[in-house]
Amino acid sequence: MKIAALYDIHGNLPALNALLDELEDVRPDLIVIGGDIIYGPMPSQTLERLFQLETQVQFIRGNCDREVVMAFDGVPLRPDMSDKVREKTEWVASQLTRTHRDFLSQLPLQFTQSIEGLGDVLFCHAAPYSDEAIFTPNTDTARLLPLFEGVQQSIVVCGHTHIMFERSIGNIRIINAGSVGMAYADQPGAYWLLLSPDGCEFRRTAYDVEAAAVEILRTTDPQAKEFAEENVVRVPTVAEMIVVIDRMVENIV
């Protein structure tokens, strides 16, 4: 079995389309969509594109998917949410249909699949029991132990922080699949993970970022210009984002 793990698409349809073109040659048996699917400039179009796939697909929930459903329902969002994030969350919610909302609302927090040669693999968005826990390759093991307590699978695939990396906690191998649509990396592209009996392979799909930026700027996303310039044409580097995220981790009590 071959599984393509596509995480954090963030409504970047051009990146997704380029990756799906590559998957026509890879021919995975299963595509896992690892959450934070729609929070970006082309939310409904991205979801509809995924609905069209003929390959078997397993979706899991990301924190942004959950919060967009809350906004759709008129449920108060987190009081500590910034005005910028609130604006984007509410805009994304306004782009969805009831069918989209109902689909997102029933997504599971995690999914497990056995792969010959790898064993049981647990797929989650951020951590096995949380869709918003954050950690990096530098995070103290003591902070991570509660997040993975009780996990029986030999491999956990996650995303959320948009940085590809691998580390271990005891006997658990943790692999971050990076981000398809909003990568923190040393060069632009759609980042994803291929799992097979041969192992776990970090992958990058190049796409025309200039053309993608033009397409994004045509949307009504209130933050389209920032997304196009800072998350598509250019992307934050791994080194600078690890510093930012590590500071966030240290501020968590």
Side-chain angles (χ1 to χ4, degrees):
M1 168 174 273
K2 289 192 292 186
I3 298 179
L6 280 51
Y7 276 65
D8 295 279
I9 299 169
H10 279 280
N12 185 342
L13 185 60
L16 174 63
N17 280 332
L19 199 165
L20 293 178
D21 286 344
E22 183 170 342
L23 290 187
E24 290 183 6
D25 294 327
V26 175
R27 299 171 63 87
D29 301 288
L30 174 68
I31 298 174
V32 174
I33 304 299
D36 283 7
I37 307 161
I38 56 169
Y39 184 89
M42 303 174 193
S44 59
Q45 302 95 318
T46 296
L47 203 51
E48 289 294 335
R49 180 69 182 90
L50 293 170
F51 289 162
Q52 295 169 6
L53 293 175
E54 296 181 0
T55 304
Q56 182 180 352
V57 182
Q58 172 66 50
F59 291 82
I60 56 178
R61 185 191 80 203
N63 61 299
C64 291
D65 307 315
R66 171 174 51 79
E67 290 166 351
V68 167
V69 169
M70 292 173 62
F72 188 102
D73 292 346
V75 176
L77 299 172
R78 291 184 291 108
D80 62 337
M81 182 178 284
S82 70
D83 291 342
K84 179 179 175 181
V85 173
R86 185 179 302 273
E87 175 191 46
K88 185 63 164 278
T89 302
E90 292 175 345
W91 177 81
V92 171
S94 75
Q95 304 302 299
L96 302 183
T97 66
R98 169 60 64 172
T99 299
H100 294 148
R101 178 264 174 217
D102 290 349
F103 174 79
L104 293 168
S105 70
Q106 53 79 47
L107 296 182
L109 184 63
Q110 57 178 245
F111 165 74
T112 299
Q113 177 67 51
S114 180
I115 303 174
E116 183 181 356
L118 296 180
D120 289 340
V121 180
L122 186 151
F123 297 87
C124 56
H125 178 65
Y129 313 113
S130 168
D131 63 14
E132 58 186 3
I134 56 173
F135 60 93
T136 74
N138 300 337
T139 303
D140 289 342
T141 299
R143 285 184 176 269
L144 291 185
L145 287 174
L147 296 177
F148 293 87
E149 185 177 3
V151 171
Q152 300 298 312
Q153 293 82 358
S154 56
I155 297 175
V156 174
V157 174
C158 60
H160 186 53
T161 55
H162 302 196
I163 299 171
M164 277 186 161
F165 66 87
E166 179 175 344
R167 64 176 295 175
S168 295
I169 301 294
N171 295 324
I172 303 171
R173 183 181 175 192
I174 304 167
I175 305 174
N176 192 302
S179 171
V180 172
M182 198 176 174
Y184 301 153
D186 294 333
Q187 58 181 325
Y191 289 77
W192 56 287
L193 184 68
L194 181 64
L195 301 98
S196 73
D198 295 328
C200 303
E201 181 182 353
F202 288 127
R203 301 288 292 264
R204 170 184 172 270
T205 299
Y207 66 102
D208 188 335
V209 294
E210 298 290 349
V214 170
E215 193 173 348
I216 289 166
L217 289 171
R218 293 194 186 112
T219 71
T220 60
D221 180 351
Q223 297 165 21
K225 187 174 187 293
E226 178 182 351
F227 189 94
E229 292 178 353
E230 299 180 17
N231 294 111
V232 176
V233 176
R234 294 183 300 276
V235 297
T237 67
V238 171
E240 64 189 11
M241 289 310 301
I242 283 181
V243 170
V244 170
I245 297 170
D246 281 342
R247 286 174 182 162
M248 294 170 63
V249 172
E250 289 301 318
N251 289 329
I252 297 172
V253 178

